[in-house]
Amino acid sequence: MVRNRIIWTAWLLASITWSCLAHPLVQDTQSSESSVDSNTTLLALFLLLYEEPFSVESALVGGTPNAIYCAADAIYIAGYDDNTSGQHEWRLEKRSRYTGQLDTNFGSNGVVTVDASPSGHDELNDITYDGAYLYLAGWDDVQGHPQWRIEKRLASNGALDSAFGSGGIIQYEPVSGQTNYLHAIELAAGGIYLGGSSYQGPFQQWQLEKRNLTNGALDTGFNGTGIVTANAGNGTQSRVFAMTVDDTYIYAGGAHQPGGNLAWRLDKRFLSDGSLESTFATGTIIDDAGPGAEQITSVSFDDSFVYVSGSEPDGEIEFHKYNRITGTPDASVGTSGHFTTNPDPSGPDGLNQMIPYNGLLYLIGHDHANLTDLQWRISLRNASDASLVTTFGQNGILQIDPTTSDDRAITGCIMGQYIFIAGSTGTSPTTWRLDKRRLSDGSL
């Protein structure tokens, strides 16, 4: 039995490395910038042999966990909680990949909180990692309205990197004195890529930036200024909400308001200069399902396709699948590449994130199928045709209802043979919850 576990562990380590190369949402376990001594390696191997699922909570902190990053030995969860005055503040947790317990060497007993504007709403929206440092993106309300905020912190203890920005922080108004939002961050091509919006008066417009990894300065090789702005119609929600990258391209998703309706929008742009990739449906796909507000909040890809999901006015679970080269909808999924399912036609069902993995799609969100309150909903579907994988959960669907109030599964990542899912449970205030579940069947 032990020999079989050792063989399995060696195979697992190899598969983890390959998975990290294959897809950015299955996050990296190795870095040229990190050094791991032999004792740490032996400990990690021992823990892998006896790795088990878990479910842990940060009770009654309020707010929501918006993003997650799976590293070799730690899980980082980023979002916002409610400070003592009931406003939002940044919250970043570091937990053990093996036990789920907070790392007491990180921040204050495993948690970093930043209350930049105690009387305003500060929101941490996204996180990424280079093996040594964490890069955080969101906004603060120091100016009396949202402005971009980026931080660079040591992954080991959460300390700010003083060489980056001003003392580890960049606070930035793309348009001075106006409302500007930052939602997404990625690392690629030796730089930091950011996605959000700037107020171009009288509306929000898309804004993408590339910045230097070391000091955070704008990289002028990107569109000549380090900044790309794109007209996204006339909406206050016209923003980049989600973004992912490969070795050559940015895939940015969000909202566009060409007329009365807020529509899904997906851009494919070059990492090098931010210009549109014209062979991908001329570079931009705008999909308006009809009356009501729609916006993409999740973008991911596999070898051949790009997947987007988000909010839509009918309260359905919906995603779209496009050819990664041409942008053509894949007719094998749903109706002309648009897949929808509606667990409760009278209630607000939703899909918050999708993770493609080994020909499968893990869908993370919530439903109202119990007809009383929202509950976590994680489902597993075949990427080829969106059919359910019946060995997962109950006939392909895992429904988790921790409280009699609204519960939402929000974000996830895959590491080894497990999927880590972060979300919120309850109300007034909410509790943050992290589940580590088996990829094969969703069980704890």
Side-chain angles (χ1 to χ4, degrees), residues 68-348:
I68 191 171
Y69 198 102
C70 290
D73 61 348
I75 307 300
Y76 300 92
I77 308 169
Y80 66 90
D81 64 19
D82 295 335
N83 63 19
T84 54
S85 61
Q87 306 299 316
H88 298 168
E89 65 180 3
W90 282 27
R91 181 182 182 89
L92 172 64
E93 296 185 354
K94 181 180 181 181
R95 292 182 174 273
S96 166
R97 167 195 171 179
Y98 305 105
T99 67
Q101 297 304 302
L102 289 166
D103 181 349
T104 56
N105 295 315
F106 183 85
S108 176
N109 294 317
V111 180
V112 170
T113 57
V114 178
D115 196 9
S117 51
S119 62
H121 286 311
D122 310 318
E123 297 197 8
L124 172 55
N125 292 312
D126 203 4
I127 181 173
T128 190
Y129 176 52
D130 68 5
Y133 291 96
L134 301 169
Y135 300 81
L136 311 173
W139 62 75
D140 66 38
D141 204 34
V142 170
Q143 302 293 341
H145 50 262
Q147 66 176 352
W148 287 30
R149 184 185 182 98
I150 308 114
E151 294 187 358
K152 181 179 179 181
R153 293 178 175 271
L154 275 170
S156 58
N157 61 16
L160 288 163
D161 176 16
S162 60
F164 183 85
S166 176
I169 302 167
I170 294 173
Q171 293 169 287
Y172 167 55
E173 291 185 281
V175 179
S176 180
Q178 301 294 338
T179 299
N180 307 277
Y181 297 97
L182 175 57
H183 288 277
I185 187 168
E186 293 284 347
L187 304 182
I192 305 167
Y193 290 84
L194 300 159
S197 68
S198 57
Y199 185 87
Q200 301 292 332
F203 308 110
Q204 296 291 320
Q205 302 294 354
W206 279 30
Q207 181 147 327
L208 299 167
E209 294 185 357
K210 182 180 181 183
R211 289 180 174 268
N212 183 279
L213 276 169
T214 303
N215 60 24
L218 286 165
D219 181 345
T220 56
F222 185 74
N223 195 41
T225 60
I227 301 169
V228 170
T229 56
N231 188 313
N234 58 356
T236 58
Q237 293 292 103
S238 298
R239 316 177 201 166
V240 176
F241 283 100
M243 184 170 63
T244 190
V245 296
D246 60 21
D247 291 337
T248 308
Y249 300 106
I250 303 166
Y251 303 85
H256 183 101
Q257 191 162 351
N261 300 318
L262 198 65
W264 288 17
R265 172 174 169 165
L266 174 66
D267 280 12
K268 182 178 180 181
R269 293 177 176 269
F270 285 95
L271 286 172
S272 56
D273 61 7
S275 62
L276 290 165
E277 161 56 300
S278 60
T279 60
F280 182 82
T282 71
T284 298
I285 296 171
I286 298 174
D287 201 321
D288 187 359
E294 304 164 80
Q295 57 199 38
I296 290 173
T297 55
S298 174
V299 182
S300 54
F301 62 81
D302 58 22
D303 289 343
S304 302
F305 298 96
V306 180
Y307 304 85
V308 299
S309 62
S311 63
E312 51 83 43
D314 297 324
E316 298 177 327
I317 291 171
E318 179 173 350
F319 72 85
H320 299 179
K321 179 182 179 184
Y322 302 101
N323 183 283
R324 190 169 159 186
I325 305 301
T326 66
T328 305
D330 179 19
S332 63
V333 164
T335 302
S336 301
H338 297 184
F339 171 85
T340 60
T341 184
N342 200 358
D344 174 23
S346 66

